[in-house]
């Protein structure tokens, strides 16, 4: 695995000949603030690819600054590299993220309906359903694969005595859900549903924007964490540094035990238009990407 970042002050000959440094498991690119045009980005991405080929490394972590260079990242994606983005960890800690938000918004889970939007059933999804079914007043699974999840409905009732509902009614299934966990519904599909105007929507996979004009809820598309095993790092996102240390086939319980042991906490949740919500002396603070609100 390699961490890739830029050298803010490359020497003239390094910048001129696009000389890439390798220090341990770091690849350092000779880029200054104004050196992000398409031609140079593609050239650097191809040089990075040749370096990674020699190391036989497929997993990489990009610094915050390099993630802004979509051309460079897209070229690496085209070569099939596993670029760590925190999305796998997102589902693994989704319960903690939901707890973080409901506590800040003073929502009583035992009085609240939650809906989970999911088509692909994984072990992580099943374990999350079991946990959330115990915490919320009602739990709805919204899916295009009704028969597959009807079996889960029976299993959860037989093993835990918990009632959940499996549905795909676009008019009714989400119109009363104050909390929605979207695991794998794309934007265009989600917007076909009648969504509660003030719903809190947590999106595991990709960015979502609700097109409904009356919608005034909270749309969470990303997050950041803090964990005792990783020090604060200005160049990289902690969530990605942490996720990079896992094999993605790690059992759900083993992941939860490790998270508990290392005292992982949610630092912030990032929503639509770059708005951030975090706990600060028991007040809500919303920041836009550019201006304090």
């Amino acid at each position: 695995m390699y961490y890739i970042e830029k050298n803010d002050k490359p020497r003239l000959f390094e910048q001129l000949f696009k000389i890439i440094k390798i220090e341990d498991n770091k690849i350092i690119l000779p880029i200054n603030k104004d050196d992000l045009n398409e031609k140079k980005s593609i050239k650097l991405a191809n040089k990075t690819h040749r370096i990674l080929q020699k190391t036989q490394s497929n997993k990489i972590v990009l610094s915050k600054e390099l993630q802004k260079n979509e051309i460079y990242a897209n070229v690496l994606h085209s070569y099939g590299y596993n670029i760590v983005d925190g999305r796998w960890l997102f589902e693994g800690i989704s319960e903690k993220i939901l707890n973080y938000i409901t506590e800040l918004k003073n929502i009583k889970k035992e009085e609240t309906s939650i809906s989970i939007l999911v088509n692909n059933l994984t072990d992580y999804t099943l374990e999350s359903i079991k946990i959330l079914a115990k915490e919320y007043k009602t739990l709805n699974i919204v899916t295009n694969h009704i028969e597959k999840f009807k079996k889960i409905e029976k299993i959860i009732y037989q093993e835990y005595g918990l009632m959940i509902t499996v549905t795909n009614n676009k008019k009714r299934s989400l119109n009363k859900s104050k909390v929605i966990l979207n695991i794998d519904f794309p934007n265009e599909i989600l917007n076909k549903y009648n969504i509660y105007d003030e719903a809190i929507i947590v999106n595991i996979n990709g960015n979502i924007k609700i097109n409904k004009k009356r919608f005034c809820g909270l749309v969470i598309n990303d997050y950041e964490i803090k964990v005792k095993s990783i020090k604060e790092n200005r160049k990289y996102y902690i969530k990605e540094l942490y996720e990079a240390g896992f094999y993605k086939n790690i059992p759900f319980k083993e992941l939860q035990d490790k998270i508990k042991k290392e005292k992982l906490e949610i630092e912030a949740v990032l929503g639509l238009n770059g708005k951030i919500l975090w706990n600060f002396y028991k007040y809500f603070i919303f920041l836009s990407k550019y201006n304090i609100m």
Side-chain angles (χ1 to χ4, degrees), residues 181-196:
L181 176 62
N182 178 23
I183 293 179
D184 58 19
F185 274 33
N187 192 76
E188 62 271 18
I189 299 299
L190 178 57
N191 274 287
K192 292 181 180 179
Y193 288 78
N194 182 22
I195 299 171
Y196 177 61

Side-chain angles (χ1 to χ4, degrees), residues 91-92 94 116 118-134 139 141 148-157 159-160 162 164 166 181 183-184 252-253:
E91 183 172 3
S94 58
I116 299 177
V118 58
N119 283 318
N120 182 33
L121 180 61
T122 66
D123 291 340
Y124 275 40
T125 301
L126 178 57
E127 293 302 322
S128 295
I129 290 171
K130 291 177 182 178
I131 293 170
L132 296 174
K134 298 174 186 178
L139 186 148
I141 295 176
K148 182 193 299 184
F149 284 90
K150 279 290 184 182
K151 295 177 182 178
I152 301 302
E153 182 182 15
K154 291 179 182 179
I155 290 172
I156 290 179
Y157 180 72
E159 292 187 7
Y160 303 97
L162 299 170
I164 65 174
V166 179
L181 176 62
I183 293 179
D184 58 19
F252 183 83
K253 186 180 183 306

Side-chain angles (χ1 to χ4, degrees), residues 90-152:
F90 203 164
E91 183 172 3
I93 63 171
S94 58
E95 184 205 2
K96 292 181 74 68
I97 289 174
L98 288 167
N99 287 342
Y100 178 86
I101 296 168
T102 53
E103 287 176 10
L104 284 177
K105 299 290 285 182
N106 197 27
I107 293 172
K108 295 180 180 179
K109 291 186 288 184
E110 66 274 12
E111 299 175 2
T112 302
S113 172
I114 184 172
S115 290
I116 299 177
L117 280 55
V118 58
N119 283 318
N120 182 33
L121 180 61
T122 66
D123 291 340
Y124 275 40
T125 301
L126 178 57
E127 293 302 322
S128 295
I129 290 171
K130 291 177 182 178
I131 293 170
L132 296 174
K134 298 174 186 178
E135 296 180 346
Y136 286 81
K137 180 181 178 181
T138 59
L139 186 148
N140 305 311
I141 295 176
V142 182
T143 181
N144 291 319
H145 303 299
I146 299 292
E147 290 304 317
K148 182 193 299 184
F149 284 90
K150 279 290 184 182
K151 295 177 182 178
I152 301 302

Side-chain angles (χ1 to χ4, degrees), residues 11 23 44 53 76 101 123 125 133 162 171 206 225 233 291:
R11 297 175 183 176
E23 297 179 359
L44 281 172
Q53 273 187 314
L76 292 181
I101 296 168
D123 291 340
T125 301
L162 299 170
K171 290 185 177 180
I225 64 170
N233 193 307
N291 301 300

Side-chain angles (χ1 to χ4, degrees), residues 226-240:
K226 58 182 178 180
V227 60
K228 70 176 187 178
S229 60
I230 300 176
K231 295 181 180 180
E232 184 178 350
N233 193 307
R234 293 185 179 182
K235 288 190 175 183
Y236 295 87
Y237 291 108
I238 301 300
K239 62 177 182 177
E240 292 166 3

Side-chain angles (χ1 to χ4, degrees), residues 2 5 9 45 58 66 74 76 108 112 120 126 133 147 162 199 205-206 213 241 250 257:
Y2 276 82
E5 59 190 57
K9 297 179 180 179
N58 184 58
L66 281 182
N74 286 339
L76 292 181
K108 295 180 180 179
T112 302
N120 182 33
L126 178 57
E147 290 304 317
L162 299 170
N205 188 20
K213 291 182 178 180
L241 295 177
I250 182 175
D257 290 343

Side-chain angles (χ1 to χ4, degrees), residues 1 3 58-61 82-90 92-93 96 124 223 225-230 238-264:
M1 178 174 61
Y3 302 87
N58 184 58
K59 183 188 286 189
I60 57 178
V61 182
N82 173 15
I83 302 179
V84 178
D85 59 6
R87 290 291 167 185
W88 171 82
L89 182 63
F90 203 164
I93 63 171
K96 292 181 74 68
Y124 275 40
Y223 68 100
I225 64 170
K226 58 182 178 180
V227 60
K228 70 176 187 178
S229 60
I230 300 176
I238 301 300
K239 62 177 182 177
E240 292 166 3
L241 295 177
Y242 192 63
E243 180 184 292
F246 288 97
Y247 292 104
K248 291 188 178 180
N249 59 353
I250 182 175
F252 183 83
K253 186 180 183 306
E254 189 175 335
L255 174 65
Q256 299 307 313
D257 290 343
K258 187 172 178 62
I259 285 170
K260 184 177 181 180
K261 181 179 179 181
E262 297 188 344
K263 298 181 179 179
L264 182 148

